[in-house]
């Protein structure tokens, strides 16, 4: 019984990782389509900013009275940067994608 359980757990965890990776890729495509700019963390300041962000989560920040949005992709050393307009467009695209998926 235990001998069969270990391979099943490995397969389950592998499939979960693959699903998660596909979801991240989809999010990155939607962010790009919405107008978010992928910005490499190629300076010490950008590296510090990247490290301070939660990976794969859109975070809202306020600077100079305006909101902006960041999405960190550590393994690619990138931060997607967008303004309020880009975030609104991202939300629209996300809804469209959910509707399309539901229709399948």
């Amino acid at each position: 019984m235990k001998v069969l359980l270990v391979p099943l757990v490995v397969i389950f965890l592998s499939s979960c990782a693959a699903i998660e990776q596909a979801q991240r890729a989809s999010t990155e495509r939607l962010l790009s389509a919405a107008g978010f700019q992928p910005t490499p963390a190629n300076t010490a300041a950008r590296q510090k900013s990247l490290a301070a962000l939660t990976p794969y989560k859109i975070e809202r920040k306020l600077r100079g009275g305006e909101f902006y949005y960041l999405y960190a992709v550590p393994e690619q050393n990138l931060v997607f940067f967008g303004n309020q307009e880009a975030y609104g467009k991202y939300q629209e695209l996300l809804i469209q994608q959910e509707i399309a998926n539901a229709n399948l």
Side-chain angles (χ1 to χ4, degrees):
M1 180 75 169
K2 289 182 182 180
V3 174
L4 292 175
L5 186 60
V6 172
L8 289 176
V9 170
V10 170
I11 291 169
F12 175 75
L13 292 176
S14 296
S15 63
C16 288
I19 291 169
E20 192 172 305
Q21 189 173 16
Q23 288 174 334
R24 289 177 186 166
S26 176
T27 297
E28 291 169 27
R29 282 191 300 276
L30 289 177
L31 290 170
S32 292
F36 277 71
Q37 298 298 312
T39 306
N42 55 7
T43 66
R46 288 181 179 176
Q47 283 287 326
K48 186 176 179 181
S49 293
L50 174 64
L53 295 171
T54 303
Y56 319 112
K57 301 287 182 198
I58 296 175
E59 293 189 27
R60 184 170 87 160
K61 305 288 183 181
L62 179 65
R63 184 185 343 153
E66 292 190 35
F67 286 108
Y68 63 98
Y69 299 84
L70 302 166
Y71 180 87
V73 186
E75 74 275 358
Q76 294 180 24
N77 210 33
L78 283 177
V79 175
F80 284 81
F81 177 85
N83 59 15
Q84 186 68 44
E85 181 181 341
Y87 183 73
K89 180 67 176 171
Y90 166 76
Q91 291 295 320
E92 289 175 19
L93 293 172
L94 189 59
I95 290 168
Q96 289 173 6
Q97 183 182 50
E98 289 174 358
I99 291 169
N101 289 342
N103 288 333
L104 293 176

